[in-house]
Amino acid sequence: MRTFFALGRLQLLTFAAMLAVGAPGRSAVAQRAEIDVTHFTRELGLVVEEARRAHLMVGDAVTGSAAEPALLRRLGITGMHRGARVVIARVAPDHVMVEVDELLPSPQRASVRLAIDSTGKLRLPER
C-alpha cells in the first residue's frame, strides 16, 4: 500500500514539475524576440547608420546620430547637439539603453534605460 501511495506522489510531483517548466512566465510570453528599431529612430529623431540592423535581439546594439536633439529632451537628455552619437542597445527583453555622447563643443555623455511594451514600442518617461 505504501508503494502505491509513493508511486502516486511521484507521479503528482512529476506532473507539477512539467506544468511549472512547460508554462513560461507572463513576461516571457508578452515580449518579442526581436524589436524594430526604425520606430524608435523616428520617435527620438535619430539617423541610424546601420540600416541592415533594423531588428534588435537581446544583446544587440545599433549606432546612429541625433538629427533632432530636441526630441531627446523627452527622455531627460539635455544639452546635446545635432550630430551627437546615439547608441540603442537592447539590454533585456523588456528594456533598451539609450546612450548619447558628443565631443564638441564640450565632451558630455548621458544615458537612460527605457522600457518596451509588449507590442515593441518604447514607454517614454512621463514628465
Side-chain angles (χ1 to χ4, degrees):
M1 188 72 160
R2 286 192 331 199
T3 307
F4 177 73
F5 285 122
L7 183 60
R9 250 187 306 187
L10 179 62
Q11 289 175 340
L12 183 63
L13 286 172
T14 304
F15 181 69
M18 287 175 25
L19 285 177
V21 172
R26 182 180 299 245
S27 63
V29 173
Q31 297 302 323
R32 296 179 173 195
E34 291 184 340
I35 55 170
D36 188 11
V37 181
T38 55
H39 178 70
F40 296 175
T41 58
R42 277 186 253 118
E43 195 169 3
L44 300 176
L46 308 175
V47 175
V48 177
E49 299 167 354
E50 304 167 17
R52 64 185 175 1
R53 297 287 308 263
H55 298 281
L56 291 183
M57 302 216 21
V58 175
D60 289 343
V62 65
T63 304
S65 60
E68 298 177 44
L71 294 177
L72 292 173
R73 289 191 194 113
R74 293 188 300 172
L75 304 178
I77 298 175
T78 59
M80 297 297 172
H81 297 86
R82 186 180 176 110
R85 183 177 65 150
V86 179
V87 177
I88 301 173
R90 188 165 182 200
V91 295
D94 59 345
H95 283 89
V96 293
M97 182 71 75
V98 178
E99 291 188 8
V100 184
D101 63 11
E102 65 180 9
L103 296 174
L104 297 174
S106 63
Q108 56 183 330
R109 182 181 192 156
S111 64
V112 64
R113 185 175 174 150
L114 299 172
I116 304 170
D117 65 12
S118 61
T119 63
K121 294 187 180 183
L122 285 177
R123 281 189 267 168
L124 296 176
E126 295 180 19
R127 296 204 177 250

